[in-house]
Amino acid sequence: MARQHGEAEPGRPAHETPAGRPADPADAGIGLLALVERTLGTGTAVYVPGDGWIRLTLPLEDGGPAPVTVDVIADTRRTPRGIAYLLPGGGLNFGSVFFTPSDLNLAHRLRREGLLVVGVTPREDAATAQDIGPDWGLAAHRRDLAAAVEALEGALGLPYQYVGHSAGALLALDAAAHDESPRLTRVVALDTTGPYSGDLAVRAAQTRDAYEARIAGGAYATDPGLAALVARAVTDPAGASDVPWPPDPGLRFTNAGLAHYALVRTTLLPGPADWIHTQGHAAGSYVFGAAPAGDRFGLTHTPLATWHAAATALGSGLVPTALMRDLAAVWAGDEKTYAIDWGRISAEVVWINTELGRGDHARGPRLIRAGGNRRVRFAVVPGYGHGDPLWSQTAAADVWSLL
């Protein structure tokens, strides 16, 4: 049975149906979702009705160790004018990224604009570490996406766009470079990184090498651990973590302190790719006190409860090491390891970064323009961290309005 990413409307249960059998034929959106279900595969579908919308979750079972999962949000009151394929970042899924918070999210925003929302969650969300192999890189993700798009394009014949965040945004750009369909109209890239130059490109190459070494050592997947940090901060905020406190390494962060520090000071963490953030996953502040219990901290745009809701919606939370290696190769401009053909992206591109997340690095958009595509917009949202464009309480006005 497909795993549900998100909540049904209170008081309205989900309807589970065998493939091809809609839950409620009276629902105006069910015919479209039944067509999607028949088109995409043989997995067991889960239907969740909402107020004016309906959701289908369907694993695309193809005999692999874990399925790609497709979520579809359809308006029940009108026929869609197009499709938005929503692509989550590394270790995340559609529900965590685009359907959080449950009542105010980017999926519903796009649905209200007349689009059929199709979230494509990569295989690793349903995988174990033992399932993931050394070939689960960016090309494999692109092929999985292309299979779903090709099937739905033939069945629905609607114009479509790719909307991705972080690693999902680079996947969207890579997919657009390989997609020759005239129905592809736009790519929306939220807070991602194209090739660096100079010292940052050198550092990206070192990151690529670090991930390549992990693959050579048989470490094909990583759990970043942020979900567990946030969970402990919510369930036991005053408890002592296992992580040394920087002012006095003999002491330990509180659980709440560690989660906030990891969110707002991500670039100071020791992970191979944490440095890529200008400051952090979230906008906020952190001031050390006389002891860990006296630290003062807070989040500016996205409440910790929202981060917890997003983390709770995750599946495995695993990130394939091959995917991280390929991303780092793109950042380094290493076309031998992995290359995005920027000059082949002909659809309109809307690329929006955040000041505190991926920052004002515009070489990717410049490379697209250099290939002859003049329909490229690049903007940086001030005061926002990496996850805030999705989950901030003011994202609709500050970010989504730019789309």
Side-chain angles (χ1 to χ4, degrees):
M1 182 179 298
R3 186 174 51 256
Q4 291 172 239
H5 307 306
E7 299 291 332
E9 185 184 15
R12 303 186 69 174
H15 298 281
E16 301 174 11
T17 69
R21 293 180 56 193
D24 183 2
D27 194 313
I30 200 68
L32 179 61
L33 266 63
L35 173 60
V36 170
E37 184 182 348
R38 288 194 302 270
T39 299
L40 288 180
T42 59
T44 301
V46 176
Y47 285 81
V48 178
D51 184 8
W53 55 271
I54 188 165
R55 178 180 181 181
L56 160 72
T57 300
L58 178 67
L60 308 185
E61 298 172 355
D62 61 359
V68 174
T69 299
V70 170
D71 284 273
V72 185
I73 311 295
D75 201 310
T76 59
R77 300 187 177 110
R78 57 180 170 175
T79 301
R81 62 178 176 84
I83 304 173
Y85 290 96
L86 272 53
L87 312 177
L92 304 175
N93 59 35
F94 166 79
S96 64
V97 175
F98 298 109
F99 214 66
T100 302
S102 59
D103 59 341
L104 178 66
N105 55 62
L106 186 53
H108 277 321
R109 171 65 171 254
L110 295 171
R111 173 187 61 81
R112 287 192 293 268
E113 292 178 355
L115 298 173
L116 181 70
V117 172
V118 179
V120 182
T121 294
R123 298 175 187 274
E124 54 264 26
D125 184 66
T128 67
Q130 291 70 36
D131 293 329
I132 297 174
D135 56 348
W136 288 39
L138 195 52
H141 287 72
R142 189 188 71 241
R143 289 191 293 270
D144 283 340
L145 171 61
V149 172
E150 182 179 2
L152 289 181
E153 185 181 10
L156 302 179
L158 292 171
Y160 60 92
Q161 58 185 281
Y162 296 126
V163 181
H165 173 252
S166 191
L170 267 192
L171 172 60
L173 292 160
D174 193 23
H178 286 81
D179 192 331
E180 298 180 351
S181 172
R183 294 194 181 101
L184 175 61
T185 60
R186 190 167 73 144
V187 181
V188 176
L190 295 174
D191 212 41
T192 199
T193 309
Y196 288 120
S197 57
D199 291 343
L200 290 178
V202 173
R203 190 166 188 182
Q206 294 168 345
T207 299
R208 172 208 60 206
D209 293 344
Y211 286 116
E212 190 63 68
R214 290 187 179 187
I215 293 172
Y220 301 145
T222 302
D223 183 349
L226 188 59
L229 290 183
V230 172
R232 287 193 291 270
V234 171
T235 59
D236 183 20
S241 74
D242 296 330
V243 178
W245 188 58
D248 182 351
L251 303 177
R252 297 293 182 264
F253 276 106
T254 65
N255 288 326
L258 178 60
H260 283 81
Y261 189 82
L263 288 172
V264 304
R265 296 287 183 263
T266 312
T267 192
L268 300 179
L269 301 180
D274 289 322
W275 65 271
I276 198 170
H277 299 89
T278 302
Q279 180 172 302
H281 286 297
S285 60
Y286 202 104
V287 178
F288 292 114
D295 288 356
R296 301 191 307 276
F297 43 78
L299 302 177
T300 305
H301 294 293
T302 304
L304 187 65
T306 302
W307 282 93
H308 187 225
T312 301
L314 294 179
S316 71
L318 296 172
V319 183
T321 312
L323 176 62
M324 292 305 303
R325 177 207 56 207
D326 292 347
L327 296 176
V330 173
W331 305 335
D334 170 18
E335 297 185 357
K336 182 177 179 181
T337 299
Y338 199 91
I340 292 178
D341 193 341
W342 306 100
R344 293 191 61 186
I345 300 174
S346 58
E348 177 190 5
V349 175
V350 180
W351 191 321
I352 299 174
N353 276 10
T354 65
E355 179 185 18
L356 306 178
R358 295 301 177 82
D360 190 6
H361 297 286
R363 190 178 175 205
R366 288 197 300 268
L367 289 171
I368 299 172
R369 292 192 191 101
N373 184 351
R374 310 308 299 175
R375 298 182 301 153
V376 181
R377 288 189 286 132
F378 177 76
V380 179
V381 180
Y384 267 54
H386 185 55
D388 292 328
L390 301 162
W391 304 317
S392 168
Q393 294 175 317
T394 56
D398 296 342
V399 183
W400 304 348
S401 61
L402 303 177
L403 307 183

